[in-house]
Amino acid sequence: MPKITDEKRALRRIQILEAAWSCFQKQGLHATTMSDIIAASNLSAGAVYSYFPSKDELILAAVKTSLTGLRERVEPLLNAAPLLPPSRFIEDIARAVTDFTAREGYDLRRVALLGWSEAQRNEHLRETMQVYYVEFRARLADAVANWKRAGEIRKTADDGDVSKTLLAMILGFVVQSAITGDVSAQELAHGLRDLVQREGADAE
Amino acid sequence: MPKITDEKRALRRIQILEAAWSCFQKQGLHATTMSDIIAASNLSAGAVYSYFPSKDELILAAVKTSLTGLRERVEPLLNAAPLLPPSRFIEDIARAVTDFTAREGYDLRRVALLGWSEAQRNEHLRETMQVYYVEFRARLADAVANWKRAGEIRKTADDGDVSKTLLAMILGFVVQSAITGDVSAQELAHGLRDLVQREGADAE
Amino acid sequence: MPKITDEKRALRRIQILEAAWSCFQKQGLHATTMSDIIAASNLSAGAVYSYFPSKDELILAAVKTSLTGLRERVEPLLNAAPLLPPSRFIEDIARAVTDFTAREGYDLRRVALLGWSEAQRNEHLRETMQVYYVEFRARLADAVANWKRAGEIRKTADDGDVSKTLLAMILGFVVQSAITGDVSAQELAHGLRDLVQREGADAE
Amino acid sequence: MPKITDEKRALRRIQILEAAWSCFQKQGLHATTMSDIIAASNLSAGAVYSYFPSKDELILAAVKTSLTGLRERVEPLLNAAPLLPPSRFIEDIARAVTDFTAREGYDLRRVALLGWSEAQRNEHLRETMQVYYVEFRARLADAVANWKRAGEIRKTADDGDVSKTLLAMILGFVVQSAITGDVSAQELAHGLRDLVQREGADAE
DNA sequence: GATGAATGAGTCTTCATTCAT
DNA sequence: AATGAATGAAGACTCATTCAT
């Protein structure tokens, strides 16, 4: 077995990461043993450890990857021109969360909950997440500025405050749909629309 | 006949629970060992086990108690007459979360994140949470009905949808403030107000 | 099982240490597994670890104890008045090494070799040994001074040099008897006497 | 027909052996992994294993080689005519040990300690060493006989006993200088001389 | 011949829980 | 009732060795 190509190494990494995801979702981060992951990956202990030096590193990679994966899906929505109005925008973001979950064969929402929990005791993970969410909020603030120009929300709105509220809605959607399992992207969006529109205002 | 009165038993339970909370927040649910909790509670292993038959029960009790504690603080806000308008209401709820954290000497938000994560692998906890959030949402739906009567939001709004959106905002506030640590109840409320009010609408 | 007495704790420690010695001699330090020691001590893994926090600590204790044990046996020889002449003195020291081995049911010489080897990679052990041997040499230097006063060796002798040579003989006796197994305390002493006494000098 | 000449093979062996020595000294025999040696030798795992079938063989070879190397250096001293008197002879032997260490870029003394320790659990190594030391002692006994003829030591001296004492001094010098690091060949020799010469005897 | 990725048995250590005192 | 020492199953990780390419 001489030198393996970088391509193959990358594939192996993904193979292991997928095995890990699958276990993590079913059993949680700590109830999952390395043996579980090793068995699910169809590799040997040594092989897995040659790709990830510790369980913590594997957890980190799993969570980071899901963060990155989500970003890639949400990016187009943020860059769309013209930008969709707030409630439609939120609906699409929520749908991206839901779709990501369904498509990749693993539940992004569950991984998110596990990751947040883990971030409490893992410095590196906590920082990674902080940076991620702060950056994401900055992108939302850009969207808010856009909406102000488009007259979707009033000019005096504070970009920062609104972006915080929007992020809260998105993260809360993740939690709520993971725990109660009975919330759709559409319901979230309609709820926002109804909150926004007063009596007599014309719908969407 | 027990030497120890029921009253004393109750106090001991709280003593243990507080020790557990304190450890859980610092180290997470699984990195906390029974030894940690036993040491923090100033009791013996046997004593702790006579109050809680297993670590899982202790986790369950710790999370349930924080759920109950929060409910008690939020209850008055839901029953207030007249009900505050949406953004004010959200602000007060968020403030209750923040205050609860500060006052009891332990961080409700962290416990919430840990609890959600744990709920992934603990059937009983998951059901408890589901019931709790669904009930809480029902109370929020009542508030929505109230707001409709008061003309705060339009009559055609769907109580269920709006309650889901509101819950998302609240849960998302918990996540965001636990992870980034830079969101206040006021910012959340202002963000909602700005989202709600269009150009030319009169403020609050 | 309430609080155990200090006495019992000390006995347990010895019980474990003896199990460890016995294993270390048969298999060496690193080929001995904790399982071996646990089995030999008739205790559980947890119990052993409650007395010694790691294998390294156990190794350290085993070596230190043998150092201390030997010192206790050699002490009287150093303090004897009048001090025996050099070759007799060396003979008794060598005999103490041999006896210690036989009596305590474990081979001091083997433990010494293992310890020296381990000291190469264990900072703490190395320092402990350094201190021990330097102190021991100081005691030998005292003996040399005594011999000079008694006319056993010439006045111009350097206490330090002679103590180094004596220590070398003792340590070398340990090595040689452990490896070849065919050297007695008497042979060592006779060899020294023969080296010391020239033609025509009167014996002993 | 091998692509590689015997000469090259021999060079490779030495290259590996030197890598092994270097690792063994730094970390000890068991803390050194085959990976360490492989990395230090700049060869592949397969290559190293084609020269030494197992780690044990490598240890054996490393220790044996150091034994042989030392013999080659000491040989001339034993065959010198006229033979140096005892304390001068010991000084030169000790110096050979020290020089060997310095010149070959690796510490003979450390390897010796490791080897003795390993001999406890390695039958083959133990036998090799026994033979080596017994033979070496026989050469020392020859020297003793010489000294008797030359009147350096008294005629009634027992060649065997004296050779054992001399070997003890040499081996003990190795231990002491490896552990305390503060003994020179000269000090050892002076110590012996002082022990040998009584009051009034003429020096050297 | 050479390579180095893969193997997997074996190691040290932890920790929820029990129960003799 | 209370104690805390003891248990031992289970977990994370290592590393000598092999063999497909």
Side-chain angles (χ1 to χ4, degrees):
Chain A
M1 263 169 221
K3 204 140 193 137
I4 218 172
T5 63
D6 283 1
E7 206 175 340
K8 274 206 164 159
R9 274 199 75 81
L11 281 173
R12 274 265 201 278
R13 259 188 79 94
I14 289 171
Q15 178 185 355
I16 294 167
L17 232 24
E18 282 180 349
W21 278 337
S22 143
C23 295
F24 287 156
Q25 285 166 67
K26 280 178 214 143
Q27 314 169 40
L29 256 26
H30 292 278
T32 294
T33 70
M34 285 304 286
S35 282
D36 293 335
I37 297 172
I38 288 156
S41 71
N42 284 320
L43 290 168
S44 66
V48 169
Y49 272 90
S50 83
Y51 287 87
F52 297 93
S54 71
K55 189 183 174 183
D56 261 17
E57 218 58 42
L58 199 40
I59 288 176
L60 205 67
V63 176
K64 274 187 180 175
T65 307
S66 73
L67 248 31
T68 314
L70 184 61
R71 195 203 315 267
E72 283 165 9
R73 293 187 148 268
V74 169
E75 202 76 4
L77 304 175
L78 285 159
N79 295 328
L83 192 64
L84 289 172
S87 69
R88 280 298 180 100
F89 176 77
I90 284 291
E91 180 171 357
D92 279 4
I93 300 250
R95 192 158 281 139
V97 169
T98 311
D99 288 0
F100 188 65
T101 294
R103 245 217 301 164
E104 316 289 323
Y106 93 111
D107 195 326
L108 173 72
R109 297 163 308 178
R110 279 164 174 259
V111 174
L113 297 197
L114 300 175
W116 295 335
S117 175
E118 187 64 10
Q120 308 299 306
R121 51 165 230 99
N122 184 325
E123 180 90 20
H124 185 70
L125 187 52
R126 187 163 56 246
E127 280 170 17
T128 302
M129 281 195 165
Q130 257 173 25
V131 170
Y132 178 83
Y133 288 123
V134 168
E135 274 179 7
F136 185 63
R137 226 164 45 192
R139 304 299 316 272
L140 289 174
D142 292 343
V144 174
N146 254 324
W147 286 324
K148 287 203 289 195
R149 280 193 291 280
E152 292 283 354
I153 64 176
R154 63 173 183 170
K155 293 279 186 297
T156 56
D158 182 286
D159 296 2
D161 290 356
V162 177
S163 70
K164 284 173 178 174
T165 303
L166 290 171
L167 181 56
M169 277 186 56
I170 296 163
L171 298 179
F173 172 76
V174 170
V175 179
Q176 193 176 177
S177 73
I179 304 282
T180 67
D182 61 359
V183 200
S184 68
Q186 207 188 37
E187 289 169 317
L188 183 75
H190 284 181
L192 177 59
R193 184 202 55 197
D194 290 342
L195 222 33
V196 165
Q197 293 174 336
R198 294 253 186 157
E199 198 66 39
D202 39 359
E204 295 172 60
Chain B
M1 197 165 268
K3 277 185 186 165
I4 271 187
T5 63
D6 283 1
E7 205 177 339
K8 266 199 167 166
R9 279 197 72 84
L11 282 172
R12 278 276 171 84
R13 263 188 75 95
I14 289 171
Q15 180 183 358
I16 296 167
L17 235 23
E18 283 180 349
W21 278 336
S22 145
C23 295
F24 287 155
Q25 283 166 67
K26 282 177 213 144
Q27 314 167 27
L29 257 24
H30 290 276
T32 294
T33 69
M34 285 303 286
S35 280
D36 293 335
I37 297 173
I38 288 158
S41 70
N42 286 319
L43 292 171
S44 67
V48 169
Y49 270 87
S50 80
Y51 289 85
F52 297 94
S54 73
K55 190 182 175 184
D56 263 14
E57 290 300 319
L58 200 39
I59 289 175
L60 205 65
V63 176
K64 274 187 182 176
T65 306
S66 73
L67 249 30
T68 316
L70 184 61
R71 195 205 315 267
E72 281 165 9
R73 295 185 147 269
V74 169
E75 202 75 6
L77 304 175
L78 284 160
N79 294 329
L83 193 63
L84 290 171
S87 70
R88 280 297 178 98
F89 176 78
I90 283 291
E91 181 171 355
D92 281 2
I93 299 252
R95 193 157 281 140
V97 168
T98 311
D99 288 358
F100 189 64
T101 294
R103 204 141 59 102
E104 316 289 324
Y106 93 110
D107 196 327
L108 173 72
R109 298 164 307 178
R110 279 167 175 257
V111 175
L113 297 197
L114 299 174
W116 296 335
S117 175
E118 187 63 10
Q120 309 298 307
R121 54 165 225 102
N122 185 324
E123 181 88 22
H124 186 71
L125 186 52
R126 186 162 58 245
E127 279 169 16
T128 302
M129 282 195 163
Q130 257 172 25
V131 170
Y132 177 83
Y133 288 122
V134 168
E135 273 179 8
F136 184 62
R137 226 165 46 194
R139 304 301 315 271
L140 289 174
D142 292 345
V144 175
N146 252 325
W147 285 325
K148 288 203 289 193
R149 277 194 293 279
E152 292 284 352
I153 64 176
R154 65 171 180 172
K155 294 280 186 298
T156 56
D158 182 288
D159 296 0
D161 289 357
V162 177
S163 70
K164 284 173 178 175
T165 303
L166 290 172
L167 181 55
M169 278 186 54
I170 296 164
L171 298 179
F173 172 76
V174 170
V175 178
Q176 194 177 174
S177 72
I179 303 281
T180 68
D182 63 358
V183 201
S184 68
Q186 207 188 36
E187 289 169 317
L188 183 75
H190 285 183
L192 178 59
R193 185 199 55 196
D194 290 342
L195 220 36
V196 166
Q197 294 173 336
R198 296 244 185 167
E199 196 69 39
D202 39 359
E204 295 174 58
Chain C
M1 264 169 220
K3 205 140 194 136
I4 218 172
T5 63
D6 282 2
E7 207 175 339
K8 276 206 162 156
R9 274 198 75 82
L11 282 173
R12 274 264 200 278
R13 260 188 78 94
I14 290 171
Q15 178 184 356
I16 294 167
L17 233 24
E18 284 180 349
W21 278 337
S22 142
C23 294
F24 287 155
Q25 284 166 69
K26 282 177 214 143
Q27 315 169 40
L29 256 25
H30 291 278
T32 294
T33 69
M34 285 303 287
S35 280
D36 292 336
I37 297 172
I38 287 156
S41 70
N42 284 319
L43 288 170
S44 66
V48 169
Y49 272 89
S50 83
Y51 287 87
F52 297 94
S54 71
K55 189 182 177 184
D56 260 17
E57 217 58 41
L58 199 40
I59 289 176
L60 205 67
V63 176
K64 274 188 182 177
T65 306
S66 73
L67 249 30
T68 314
L70 184 60
R71 195 203 315 266
E72 282 166 10
R73 293 184 148 270
V74 168
E75 203 74 5
L77 305 175
L78 285 159
N79 295 330
L83 195 63
L84 290 172
S87 70
R88 279 300 179 98
F89 176 76
I90 283 291
E91 180 172 355
D92 280 3
I93 299 252
R95 194 159 280 138
V97 169
T98 312
D99 289 359
F100 188 65
T101 293
R103 212 153 41 110
E104 317 289 324
Y106 93 110
D107 195 326
L108 174 70
R109 298 164 308 179
R110 280 165 174 257
V111 174
L113 298 198
L114 300 174
W116 295 335
S117 174
E118 187 64 9
Q120 308 300 307
R121 51 165 229 99
N122 185 326
E123 179 89 22
H124 185 70
L125 187 52
R126 186 160 59 243
E127 280 169 17
T128 302
M129 282 195 163
Q130 257 173 23
V131 169
Y132 177 83
Y133 288 122
V134 168
E135 273 179 8
F136 185 62
R137 227 164 45 192
R139 304 299 317 268
L140 290 174
D142 292 344
V144 174
N146 254 326
W147 286 325
K148 288 202 291 195
R149 279 193 292 278
E152 292 285 352
I153 63 178
R154 64 171 180 170
K155 292 280 187 295
T156 56
D158 182 286
D159 296 0
D161 289 358
V162 178
S163 70
K164 283 174 178 174
T165 304
L166 290 172
L167 181 56
M169 277 186 55
I170 296 164
L171 298 179
F173 173 75
V174 170
V175 178
Q176 194 176 173
S177 74
I179 303 283
T180 67
D182 62 357
V183 201
S184 69
Q186 209 188 36
E187 290 169 316
L188 183 75
H190 285 182
L192 177 59
R193 185 201 55 198
D194 290 343
L195 222 34
V196 165
Q197 294 175 336
R198 297 242 185 170
E199 198 68 40
D202 39 0
E204 295 174 56
Chain D
M1 195 166 268
K3 278 183 185 166
I4 272 187
T5 63
D6 283 0
E7 203 177 341
K8 267 203 167 164
R9 279 198 70 83
L11 281 173
R12 277 277 171 84
R13 262 188 76 94
I14 289 171
Q15 179 182 357
I16 294 167
L17 234 24
E18 283 181 348
W21 277 337
S22 147
C23 294
F24 288 155
Q25 284 165 67
K26 281 177 215 144
Q27 314 166 28
L29 257 25
H30 290 276
T32 294
T33 69
M34 286 301 288
S35 279
D36 292 336
I37 298 172
I38 288 158
S41 71
N42 286 320
L43 291 170
S44 68
V48 170
Y49 270 87
S50 79
Y51 288 85
F52 297 93
S54 72
K55 189 183 175 183
D56 263 15
E57 289 301 317
L58 199 41
I59 289 176
L60 204 66
V63 176
K64 274 187 183 176
T65 306
S66 74
L67 248 31
T68 315
L70 184 60
R71 195 205 315 268
E72 283 166 8
R73 296 186 145 268
V74 169
E75 202 76 7
L77 304 175
L78 285 160
N79 295 329
L83 192 63
L84 290 172
S87 69
R88 282 297 181 100
F89 175 78
I90 282 291
E91 182 172 354
D92 280 2
I93 299 252
R95 193 159 280 139
V97 168
T98 310
D99 289 359
F100 189 66
T101 293
R103 205 142 56 101
E104 316 289 323
Y106 94 110
D107 196 326
L108 174 71
R109 299 163 307 178
R110 279 166 175 258
V111 175
L113 297 197
L114 299 175
W116 295 334
S117 175
E118 187 64 10
Q120 309 298 307
R121 53 164 225 99
N122 184 326
E123 182 86 22
H124 186 73
L125 185 53
R126 187 163 58 246
E127 279 169 18
T128 302
M129 281 195 162
Q130 256 172 25
V131 169
Y132 177 84
Y133 288 122
V134 168
E135 273 179 8
F136 185 63
R137 225 164 45 193
R139 305 299 316 273
L140 289 173
D142 292 346
V144 174
N146 253 327
W147 286 323
K148 287 201 290 195
R149 278 193 294 279
E152 292 284 352
I153 64 176
R154 64 173 182 170
K155 293 282 188 295
T156 56
D158 182 285
D159 296 0
D161 290 356
V162 177
S163 70
K164 284 173 178 174
T165 302
L166 290 171
L167 181 56
M169 277 185 55
I170 296 163
L171 299 179
F173 172 75
V174 170
V175 178
Q176 195 177 173
S177 72
I179 303 282
T180 67
D182 62 357
V183 201
S184 69
Q186 207 187 38
E187 289 169 317
L188 182 76
H190 285 182
L192 178 60
R193 183 201 57 196
D194 289 343
L195 222 34
V196 166
Q197 292 173 338
R198 295 255 188 155
E199 198 68 40
D202 38 1
E204 296 176 59

